[in-house]
């Protein structure tokens, strides 16, 4: 297994799609049947043209209010208005789709969702062709790793990268995803690196730092300064 | 049945909840088990204190990137940062929850979701106590009404409110949620009212107006003007 999970590890590959001409009600029916909240709109080469999400479909319902209130109608954005009157995927979809590469890391995918304020990303290959969908729940699933698995991951990571010197002075314990590190290390800077590194491991909810150190090297002048 | 559906008609009443002390991983497990994207945080009186959603939980994953990049860490908002380090519902939740009354109309609920950019609303009674959750998919389900049912709704609505005079001159046909109105009415203003009214009916995707009129009353001076 890879050190860190990537989008390809957690994405859904069996993806429902529609074309530009798919009518409104058929899309609603698809979403209900498949229990998904969005569907990519693709061309005949499986290239992604856009996405129709529940949000796009709800414009129509929002707009029912507007028919009763002129004031609200003016407040609706032009985009919402256009979607409210749309009856085919082409008119309803949000384009371009917010996409991600299958080899992106999960934190990068999470950040991309947050930056673009979407609940899923369309996964496309180098040629822009649809390869999957990754949703927020797919990304969160990483935190479902068992405590035993987490202990293994943290220990392996620390051994492999940080503390090849003497890794077995550290005790790793996980409870509900919260990892407690205890034991003693030689240098204070190593303690900080170890804690930081542990936080980046998939599935780690929090790190409790009970590590001690023998020497506070952070008080020493930097190495290059001492050399000059 | 009511003329228009209200939130109470489509909401989920069997709602998973957590309290302020519920730990991060337990929340993730709940969401996965129940296949929901958010959970209300309630006090001992079932009053809603906030909501923990997948978005809140993903802050932790977003922030893994930040541990590697100081620049990004600075760019993260203080809120995202706080949630990224949170381990209990109290620290993770978004508060106050965006709520809606069980008797709100579906278009009003749709608009409230859009205004607050959320994917679900917490349904609370007059005392602020949790009574259900309504999601985007619940609101969209209204469009799944059969064409036969839609034809019945439109005809009934038109007969009852608009055209009590001679309703049977209008032919109503629905196909894929798109309602086509044909036939002849006396006044042009009545045609416009009828089309507008039909658009507001739950489940109507679009209205095709093939109505004709005998007299164009919109060219006449307004009634009160004629009277003065």
């Amino acid at each position: 297994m890879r050190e860190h999970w990537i989008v390809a590890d957690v994405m859904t590959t069996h993806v429902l799609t529609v074309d530009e001409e798919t009518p409104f009600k058929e899309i609603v029916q698809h979403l209900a049947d498949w229990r998904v909240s969005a569907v990519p709109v693709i061309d005949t080469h499986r290239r992604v043209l856009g996405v129709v999400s529940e949000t796009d479909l709800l414009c129509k319902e929002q707009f029912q209010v507007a028919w009763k209130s002129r004031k609200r109608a003016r407040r609706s954005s032009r985009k919402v208005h256009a979607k409210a009157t749309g009856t085919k995927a082409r008119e309803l979809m949000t384009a371009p789709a917010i996409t991600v590469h299958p080899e992106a890391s999960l934190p990068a995918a999470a950040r991309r969702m947050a930056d673009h304020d979407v609940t899923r990303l369309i996964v496309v290959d180098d040629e822009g062709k649809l390869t999957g969908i990754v949703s927020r729940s797919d990304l969160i699933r990483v935190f479902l790793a068992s405590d035993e698995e987490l202990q293994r991951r943290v220990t392996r990571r620390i051994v492999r990268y940080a503390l090849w010197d003497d890794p077995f002075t550290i005790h790793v314990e996980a409870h509900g995803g919260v990892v407690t590190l205890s034991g003693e290390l030689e240098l204070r800077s190593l303690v900080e690196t170890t804690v930081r590194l542990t936080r980046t491991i998939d599935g780690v909810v929090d790190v409790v730092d009970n590590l001690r150190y023998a020497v506070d090297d952070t008080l020493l002048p930097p190495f290059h300064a001492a050399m000059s």
Side-chain angles (χ1 to χ4, degrees), chain A:
Chain A
M1 214 195 91
R2 283 182 207 82
E3 196 63 38
H4 279 297
W5 283 5
I6 57 173
V7 166
D9 296 327
V10 300
M11 71 183 184
T12 301
T13 51
H14 191 51
V15 181
L16 163 78
T17 60
V18 298
D19 63 43
E20 287 189 292
E21 297 303 314
T22 308
F24 183 98
K25 194 175 170 181
E26 207 175 307
I27 300 173
V28 173
Q29 189 73 57
H30 281 328
L31 296 187
D33 291 348
W34 284 54
R35 294 171 156 278
V36 293
S37 65
V39 53
V41 184
I42 58 168
D43 67 13
T44 50
H45 304 287
R46 269 191 93 70
R47 278 181 307 230
V48 180
L49 304 170
V51 183
V52 181
S53 72
E54 288 176 346
T55 310
D56 300 321
L57 299 173
L58 268 185
C59 291
K60 202 175 278 299
E61 210 154 339
Q62 267 175 258
F63 206 65
Q64 289 190 356
V65 178
W67 284 108
K68 296 171 196 160
S69 155
R70 290 290 169 90
K71 212 168 174 183
R72 305 206 93 162
R74 269 199 303 270
R75 266 201 279 150
S76 297
S77 78
R78 206 174 300 179
K79 221 177 224 176
V80 172
H81 184 284
K83 285 181 184 180
T85 56
T87 60
K88 288 172 173 182
R90 184 168 22 83
E91 302 151 337
L92 300 162
M93 71 184 185
T94 297
I98 309 302
T99 61
V100 70
H101 196 271
E103 288 178 18
S105 74
L106 303 197
R111 181 165 282 274
R112 197 161 162 73
M113 281 186 198
D115 286 350
H116 292 272
D117 203 21
V118 292
T119 62
R120 95 278 310 155
L121 299 169
I122 309 300
V123 187
V124 294
D125 63 16
D126 294 325
E127 293 167 20
K129 289 183 185 174
L130 179 69
T131 55
I133 280 195
V134 62
S135 69
R136 290 198 289 214
S137 53
D138 295 328
L139 296 186
I140 290 170
R141 217 179 298 148
V142 73
F143 290 108
L144 291 179
S146 72
D147 288 327
E148 292 68 36
E149 169 60 22
L150 267 191
Q151 280 171 213
R152 261 196 306 277
R153 278 187 208 165
V154 173
T155 308
R156 196 175 50 206
R157 193 100 207 278
I158 290 177
V159 172
R160 200 181 300 174
Y161 286 107
L163 308 171
W164 47 269
D165 211 14
D166 185 7
F168 302 108
T169 55
I170 296 191
H171 182 69
V172 177
E173 209 177 300
H175 186 70
V178 178
V179 174
T180 302
L181 302 174
S182 46
E184 185 173 304
L185 290 169
E186 182 66 13
L187 301 176
R188 181 174 177 178
S189 63
L190 215 50
V191 167
E192 286 167 6
T193 307
T194 305
V195 170
R196 230 176 12 243
L197 197 72
T198 304
R199 282 194 194 282
T200 69
I201 293 173
D202 292 335
V204 172
V205 172
D206 200 11
V207 178
V208 176
D209 172 14
N210 287 339
L211 291 169
R212 284 162 292 118
Y213 51 87
V215 179
D216 188 350
D217 59 332
T218 61
L219 297 174
L220 300 173
F223 181 66
H224 67 272
M227 290 294 282
S228 66

